[in-house]
Amino acid sequence: MRSLLTAVFVFMLGNLIAQNRYTVQITASDQPPTFFTKKFGYNVHAKDSVQARRDALTLLQKIRSFGYAGASIDSIKGDSLHTYIYMYIGDRFESMALSNGNVDERLLGDAGVKNAVLSGKPVPVSVALQVKERLLQQCENSGYPFATVRLDSFTRQGSSLAAKVFLDKRELIRYDTLRILGKTRTKNVFLRNYLGIKTSKPYDEANVKRINQRLADLQFVEIIQPRDVEFLNSKAKVNVFLKDKKASQFDFLLGFLPGSSGQKLLITGDAHLHLYSMFGMGEEFSLQWQKLQPKTQTLNAKIVYPYLIGLPLGVNVTFDLYKRDTTYVDINGDYGIQYQLAGSNYLKASLKQKITIVTNVDTNYIIANHTLPQNLDISSNDFALEFFLQKLDYKFNPTSGFDLTIGASAGVRVIKKNNNITQLFDELNGRYFSYLYDTVRLKVFEFSAGLNIEKYWRLAPRHTIKTAIDGKYHYAPQIYQNEEYRLGGINSLRGFDDQSIFTPYYLMGDFEYRFLLSKNSYISAFFNAAMVKNAPDRNGTFDYPFGFGVSGAIETKAGIFGISYAMGRQLGNPVTFKSGKIHFGYINYF
């Protein structure tokens, strides 16, 4: 009996709730009820009267976009359970001729609607409504977030409608302050520059809407709650809610590659320390050590300080030291000033310096061939420009978006005479080999250019395709081996020994499918290929090496662990499993 009473009570309660659902009824004074059941259906239930009014305005915009430009809401009535909305629809027109009511012509030009308003020629009704929206957006992004735009003074012109465009800007709003609420060491001066929130600058609605995304792009802070804006006395106060998060990282990579010259296994190593915003100004410090080949090591350092004394100008300096077994040492410096654009984007101008010191001259090669060796002592000074643009949904493991780096440099290269060559005696010709330097131009012009673009295509919530194109070109009258680009390895052309392919220019493509296990974890399958120029002793022909394999990254409380297995083919050699490259990686955030 008790169960029966309970069921009856639940049934009656359900009916009562159903009866008390908020209902909406829309009526047009000049159209039959079927007008709202065909093209312009609407939801007859709403959460409350506010939702009912919002839905009615959305419906009105839709009706106008179909050519009923004179449509309007005459009145709205209601009670605690119902909202009654009365509309006037009017005639349907295919086009409308616009004219200027009171809008400044400069504003029309800035909004890109000057021709549509001033030409006097009829435009589709949908275009006329877009004119309103563009003018409104232009005002919102120029300090007038409360502006209103309306079409008025309607007249009929044959089969078209004519109307004037009127604008009420209302008060000019300027930024007041940016408040950071939450526990973070991030400095206010950094965020003001990064977000483009500067005191007394006109309010920009589009910029404010991008704040949450830009904050999400920062590695070292986490959003507690969405930003909000307070308007008071013609001022806008922007509030952001942040806390620090672990962003600095230490990672290392171990590679297990088939050995050569009797060595069964070659173990390579890559250790990287990357510090982010330790002083709250968005600065970066990076130090990386690599051992990629026997007796070959690399040391890279980078310092980025994006905003000096509160200006969008910063420093971007890199230093590279490359020791090629016992043959030569490369010392590279890139000393740049960068202009910070929106978000992480920048334009950089720098001085690039390179010094190559040959430590072990192949004298037997010189004596046998009476020519200079493939590696020479070189110094160069180049002026460089670089542009970086990034639009990713999530920087660490993106599913959509792209990033682009494009740059070029030009300068002078000087070949320095090596004492081990100039003091080597040529017994065949009875003189010193210093004469070999007379056959080359010691001082020449050089030029380099590079392009790297990565694009992510989101197929489904857990499925993403990554595509990438990377290319570099180096021009000089003669290019020596120690000037060439070095390809191969987990961070370059996968499936090959690290930095084992030398070429003066290349074009490389990458295709990778990723299945996301979590925000920072995935498994993938990839294919990459390149076009490279072979060494001079192969008649300068081109080769097309390619590699393929699988990889994965798993996030744990201790950090992110990664593994990759890749095979490759070069110079027509067959692909074999025993030549596969295995890499293990680990990233720890602190």
Side-chain angles (χ1 to χ4, degrees):
M1 184 66 178
R2 181 178 297 177
S3 299
L4 178 61
L5 289 175
T6 300
V8 171
F9 174 76
V10 171
F11 177 75
M12 293 177 65
L13 180 61
N15 282 340
L16 182 61
I17 293 174
Q19 291 174 1
N20 289 334
R21 291 181 67 184
Y22 202 93
T23 61
V24 180
Q25 181 178 327
I26 300 178
T27 305
S29 60
D30 58 341
Q31 293 287 347
T34 55
F35 181 82
F36 294 106
T37 59
K38 294 181 179 180
K39 278 186 181 179
F40 306 110
Y42 63 92
N43 193 347
V44 297
H45 296 289
K47 180 181 178 181
D48 50 32
S49 61
V50 175
Q51 182 65 49
R53 290 168 182 262
R54 188 180 297 119
D55 291 347
L57 290 173
T58 301
L59 176 62
L60 179 63
Q61 288 299 109
K62 181 179 180 181
I63 292 172
R64 287 175 174 175
S65 68
F66 273 80
Y68 298 94
S72 62
I73 295 178
D74 288 343
S75 63
I76 300 178
K77 299 179 181 179
D79 52 36
S80 60
L81 295 178
H82 310 280
T83 290
Y84 301 96
I85 299 172
Y86 301 94
M87 285 187 175
Y88 169 76
I89 304 301
D91 296 331
R92 184 173 186 271
F93 297 90
E94 295 292 335
S95 61
M96 181 183 296
L98 299 177
S99 59
N100 193 6
N102 67 341
V103 186
D104 183 81
E105 289 191 13
R106 183 176 179 180
L107 180 59
L108 292 174
D110 293 340
V113 297
K114 188 173 182 178
N115 185 61
V117 175
L118 300 182
S119 67
K121 297 178 180 179
V123 296
V125 172
S126 60
V127 173
L129 298 178
Q130 289 176 13
V131 168
K132 287 181 57 180
E133 291 302 316
R134 289 188 181 182
L135 280 172
L136 190 60
Q137 290 175 4
Q138 182 64 33
C139 290
E140 290 175 341
N141 300 337
S142 305
Y144 299 94
F146 304 112
T148 59
V149 181
R150 75 181 192 279
L151 299 180
D152 207 339
S153 303
F154 290 95
T155 58
R156 185 188 294 270
Q157 291 183 352
S159 61
S160 297
L161 195 66
K164 290 185 177 182
V165 183
F166 290 90
L167 168 67
D168 182 5
K169 284 186 174 181
R170 300 187 179 179
E171 60 181 334
L172 173 63
I173 305 295
R174 297 184 183 274
Y175 288 123
D176 182 17
T177 57
L178 172 69
R179 290 199 304 175
I180 304 175
L181 304 176
K183 189 175 181 181
T184 175
R185 60 172 172 263
T186 304
K187 299 291 193 296
N188 191 286
V189 63
F190 165 74
L191 275 189
R192 286 203 311 269
N193 280 279
Y194 178 77
L195 298 176
I197 308 296
K198 297 184 178 181
T199 302
S200 298
K201 182 181 177 181
Y203 178 86
D204 186 339
E205 178 70 17
N207 184 49
V208 170
K209 288 181 178 179
R210 291 192 295 264
I211 286 178
N212 286 341
Q213 180 58 52
R214 288 184 179 177
L215 291 175
D217 289 339
L218 293 175
Q219 298 95 324
F220 45 86
V221 293
E222 182 177 344
I223 300 174
I224 302 174
Q225 68 182 61
R227 55 91 186 133
D228 64 34
V229 183
E230 300 175 12
F231 296 98
L232 182 65
N233 298 328
S234 300
K235 300 288 185 180
K237 183 180 295 183
V238 181
N239 302 315
V240 294
F241 305 85
L242 305 173
K243 68 177 182 179
D244 288 332
K245 72 175 181 180
K246 295 179 179 179
S248 297
Q249 65 186 69
F250 171 75
D251 59 83
F252 65 83
L253 187 69
L254 292 177
F256 298 90
L257 317 176
S260 59
S261 303
Q263 186 179 7
K264 292 184 178 180
L265 185 67
L266 172 64
I267 300 177
T268 64
D270 184 337
H272 189 195
L273 175 66
H274 203 156
L275 304 178
Y276 284 102
S277 198
M278 302 301 290
F279 304 105
M281 287 297 293
E283 72 280 356
E284 294 181 45
F285 173 75
S286 173
L287 186 65
Q288 184 177 28
W289 170 85
Q290 295 176 309
K291 181 181 179 297
L292 305 176
Q293 297 286 343
K295 300 180 181 179
T296 297
Q297 299 183 61
T298 301
L299 180 66
N300 303 318
K302 181 177 182 179
I303 298 175
V304 178
Y305 198 94
Y307 299 103
L308 292 173
I309 58 173
L311 298 175
L313 290 176
V315 296
N316 187 327
V317 177
T318 60
F319 173 83
D320 301 327
L321 178 66
Y322 175 75
K323 181 179 180 295
R324 181 73 179 183
D325 48 59
T326 60
T327 307
Y328 62 86
V329 176
D330 276 344
I331 303 173
N332 299 323
D334 188 341
Y335 314 103
I337 298 293
Q338 69 180 33
Y339 179 77
Q340 204 71 30
L341 304 173
S344 301
N345 308 323
Y346 64 80
L347 178 65
K348 173 184 171 184
S350 64
L351 173 66
K352 285 188 174 183
Q353 293 183 325
K354 178 178 180 179
I355 299 174
T356 297
I357 302 173
V358 178
T359 55
N360 187 6
V361 177
D362 190 351
T363 55
N364 292 328
Y365 177 88
I366 297 173
I367 293 171
N369 296 280
H370 287 78
T371 59
L372 291 171
Q374 294 183 3
N375 300 309
L376 292 181
D377 298 84
I378 292 171
S379 68
S380 64
N381 290 277
D382 294 354
F383 175 74
L385 288 174
E386 181 178 286
F387 173 68
F388 175 75
L389 177 63
Q390 184 178 77
K391 291 186 177 181
L392 299 173
D393 62 339
Y394 178 57
K395 184 175 293 186
F396 296 106
N397 189 19
T399 60
S400 64
F402 71 93
D403 62 36
L404 166 72
T405 304
I406 183 170
S409 64
V412 177
R413 184 197 72 186
V414 178
I415 296 177
K416 296 184 176 181
K417 296 181 180 181
N418 190 296
N419 290 334
N420 291 323
I421 297 177
T422 60
Q423 296 176 6
L424 182 65
F425 191 72
D426 184 356
E427 296 182 355
L428 182 63
N429 293 321
R431 53 178 176 167
Y432 289 97
F433 276 105
S434 58
Y435 74 87
L436 293 178
Y437 284 103
D438 298 335
T439 63
V440 298
R441 296 169 58 188
L442 300 182
K443 190 174 183 179
V444 299
F445 170 80
E446 67 175 358
F447 172 80
S448 298
L451 168 69
N452 180 275
I453 181 168
E454 295 183 355
K455 170 67 177 174
Y456 295 84
W457 312 79
R458 186 175 183 269
L459 305 179
R462 288 182 177 269
H463 303 269
T464 297
I465 296 292
K466 174 191 173 185
T467 56
I469 294 177
D470 181 29
K472 288 185 178 179
Y473 174 80
H474 183 201
Y475 165 80
Q478 185 174 357
I479 299 175
Y480 298 92
Q481 187 181 69
N482 51 301
E483 296 182 284
E484 295 181 328
Y485 300 110
R486 303 181 289 265
L487 302 183
I490 187 65
N491 295 317
S492 175
L493 189 61
R494 291 175 283 187
F496 300 89
D497 292 345
D498 294 274
Q499 300 188 0
S500 60
I501 301 174
F502 288 75
T503 178
Y505 43 83
Y506 68 88
L507 182 64
M508 182 167 57
D510 184 30
F511 181 90
E512 181 176 353
Y513 163 75
R514 291 183 179 182
F515 177 77
L516 275 63
L517 303 173
S518 66
K519 189 174 183 179
N520 293 314
S521 304
Y522 66 88
I523 55 176
S524 73
F526 60 83
F527 174 85
N528 52 203
M531 180 183 72
V532 301
K533 186 178 184 296
N534 284 322
D537 57 1
R538 296 185 57 84
N539 299 319
T541 59
F542 287 93
D543 186 33
Y544 304 91
F546 65 86
F548 56 92
V550 294
S551 65
I554 304 297
E555 183 180 30
T556 67
K557 291 183 178 180
I560 299 177
F561 293 86
I563 184 172
S564 171
Y565 177 80
M567 295 178 289
R569 177 178 178 178
Q570 182 187 14
L571 301 174
N573 297 319
V575 177
T576 59
F577 284 98
K578 69 178 182 179
S579 64
K581 322 297 180 186
I582 302 176
H583 290 87
F584 294 97
Y586 170 72
I587 301 175
N588 178 46
Y589 292 97
F590 61 91

